[in-house]
Amino acid sequence: MISEEEACSKILKTIQPLPARRVSLLSALGCFAAEDYFARQPLPNFDNSAMDGYAVVASSGRTGERLRLIGEQPAGLDRQLRISPGEAVRIFTGAPTPAGADAVVMQEDVTRDRDEIVLNVGVEPGEFIRKRGCDLSEGQKILSAGERIRAATLALLAAQGFSDLAVGAEVSIAIVSTGNELVSVGDELRQGQVYESNSALLQALLKRCGAMLKSAEHSRDDRESLIETIERGLKNHVLIITGGVSVGEHDLVQLALRSLGAKIDIWRVAIKPGKPFLFGRAGGCAVFGLPGNPVSAFVTFLQFVRPAILKMMGAADLDLPKVPARLIADITNDGDRPHYVRGKLEGGKFTPVGRQESHALFGLSQSNALLRVAVGESLKAGEIVDVQIWD
Ligand code: AMP
Ligand code: MG
């Protein structure tokens, strides 16, 4: 049995980012940038009005002042207007400010009198003008390699005229669930059987990573059907197998993998839940064997599989987000493996929820965060702890 840290570092040493690709802007949502991106132009790109109103010279902008209208500046076409003190230009939001103007008065603050306006307020220099480059300078970094492209990142790239960009690869994934006792959702459940739920769990978690699910198959616990199903799964970048990696007579996954020429790098890790976890390689495919118990599959996916997939996709940050929280109950780990306690993070407080056993799916479903309690660690209610957010 190796430590969790050893397992993680061994996996991440083996796994490398896949080659990058170019995609259109919208297809990049959720992907990771494959290179740094820099601003092609300042934002805004020219001084412009923040309001519908009148461009003026602030020095002639006292309350009660009467200004002569000399033109109109709409958004979209720069009419190259110029004003002097005592004059005003009708202007609209986003329109370039005329030369000589150093402020805009909102239309609500003036009284229009044919080709003149009367100011109902005093005007300060710079008011309601969005200066060129005040948001972003030309050449400034707007996106780092390895950063996830989110909705606002897409908008910024569009505002900079990028129509496509280089992003990390799509990672193809196969899931194989194993177990004679399992029945597909929708089929009749007989005495002693259970519904197969790990595929649903893993597919949902994979979706969150942005990985591409190619297939989800089930195999009975017999050598031939395991070999056949696993062989199909190995055609992908990643194969995730659940169940059958423990030490029982029906746990034949290792056997099947070896007979397909796979190299098993890791089997059994000091982690609770999830001890029988397996990692290996077969050709270009990374193989993860997760224990069948739902909570074990869940925890080992998040701690070992998720970071590996993100690394393949070109992500820089492979960790689950962590936040400090006030612990609501005493927790002691007097076992021999670090324990991932499932809990609810709400209003800055972390409360362990449900049964903390590896089969307890309802408890897991009530949680949104995990607290790692190290071997021998004793945490007291009221303490501030770092918890991993998984939802
Ligand atoms: P195993 O790791 O194959 O020994 O399975 C451990 C426990 O997890 C057993 O109680 C199985 O019935 C259960 N289990 C295994 N695979 C699944 C699955 N895909 N969906 C739900 N439960 C499962
Ligand atoms: Mg089994």
mmCIF file of all heavy atoms in Angstrom, residues 178-179 181 221 243-244 250-251, ligand 2:
data_model
loop_
_atom_site.group_PDB
_atom_site.id
_atom_site.type_symbol
_atom_site.label_atom_id
_atom_site.label_comp_id
_atom_site.label_asym_id
_atom_site.label_seq_id
_atom_site.Cartn_x
_atom_site.Cartn_y
_atom_site.Cartn_z
ATOM 1 N N THR A 178 -18.387 -3.050 -13.302
ATOM 2 C CA THR A 178 -18.327 -4.511 -13.205
ATOM 3 C C THR A 178 -19.135 -4.983 -12.004
ATOM 4 O O THR A 178 -19.272 -4.260 -11.019
ATOM 5 C CB THR A 178 -16.878 -4.998 -13.018
ATOM 6 O OG1 THR A 178 -16.443 -4.671 -11.687
ATOM 7 C CG2 THR A 178 -15.932 -4.355 -14.020
ATOM 8 N N GLY A 179 -19.642 -6.181 -12.083
ATOM 9 C CA GLY A 179 -20.346 -6.785 -10.953
ATOM 10 C C GLY A 179 -21.548 -7.580 -11.401
ATOM 11 O O GLY A 179 -22.400 -7.056 -12.130
ATOM 12 N N GLU A 181 -23.933 -8.554 -9.604
ATOM 13 C CA GLU A 181 -25.134 -8.171 -8.842
ATOM 14 C C GLU A 181 -25.812 -6.928 -9.413
ATOM 15 O O GLU A 181 -26.887 -6.540 -8.956
ATOM 16 C CB GLU A 181 -24.753 -7.929 -7.365
ATOM 17 C CG GLU A 181 -24.003 -6.621 -7.062
ATOM 18 C CD GLU A 181 -22.524 -6.630 -7.440
ATOM 19 O OE1 GLU A 181 -22.105 -7.437 -8.288
ATOM 20 O OE2 GLU A 181 -21.776 -5.790 -6.900
ATOM 21 N N ASP A 221 -18.720 -10.321 -13.877
ATOM 22 C CA ASP A 221 -17.430 -10.684 -13.303
ATOM 23 C C ASP A 221 -16.927 -12.001 -13.882
ATOM 24 O O ASP A 221 -16.743 -12.974 -13.153
ATOM 25 C CB ASP A 221 -17.569 -10.838 -11.765
ATOM 26 C CG ASP A 221 -17.903 -9.523 -11.086
ATOM 27 O OD1 ASP A 221 -17.262 -8.508 -11.417
ATOM 28 O OD2 ASP A 221 -18.790 -9.513 -10.215
ATOM 29 N N GLY A 243 -15.400 -1.249 -9.533
ATOM 30 C CA GLY A 243 -15.658 -2.562 -8.948
ATOM 31 C C GLY A 243 -14.624 -3.570 -9.420
ATOM 32 O O GLY A 243 -13.862 -3.320 -10.374
ATOM 33 N N GLY A 244 -14.563 -4.675 -8.702
ATOM 34 C CA GLY A 244 -13.710 -5.778 -9.133
ATOM 35 C C GLY A 244 -12.216 -5.553 -8.953
ATOM 36 O O GLY A 244 -11.410 -6.289 -9.511
ATOM 37 N N HIS A 250 -14.114 -12.742 -7.047
ATOM 38 C CA HIS A 250 -14.783 -12.188 -8.228
ATOM 39 C C HIS A 250 -14.132 -10.890 -8.702
ATOM 40 O O HIS A 250 -14.618 -10.248 -9.613
ATOM 41 C CB HIS A 250 -16.273 -11.944 -7.928
ATOM 42 C CG HIS A 250 -16.982 -13.210 -7.588
ATOM 43 N ND1 HIS A 250 -17.282 -14.153 -8.545
ATOM 44 C CD2 HIS A 250 -17.397 -13.716 -6.411
ATOM 45 C CE1 HIS A 250 -17.871 -15.176 -7.966
ATOM 46 N NE2 HIS A 250 -17.955 -14.937 -6.665
ATOM 47 N N ASP A 251 -13.038 -10.504 -8.029
ATOM 48 C CA ASP A 251 -12.360 -9.267 -8.415
ATOM 49 C C ASP A 251 -11.295 -9.578 -9.461
ATOM 50 O O ASP A 251 -10.123 -9.786 -9.149
ATOM 51 C CB ASP A 251 -11.766 -8.580 -7.178
ATOM 52 C CG ASP A 251 -12.866 -8.135 -6.224
ATOM 53 O OD1 ASP A 251 -13.978 -7.846 -6.716
ATOM 54 O OD2 ASP A 251 -12.631 -8.089 -5.012
HETATM 55 MG MG MG B 2 -17.783 -6.456 -7.662
#
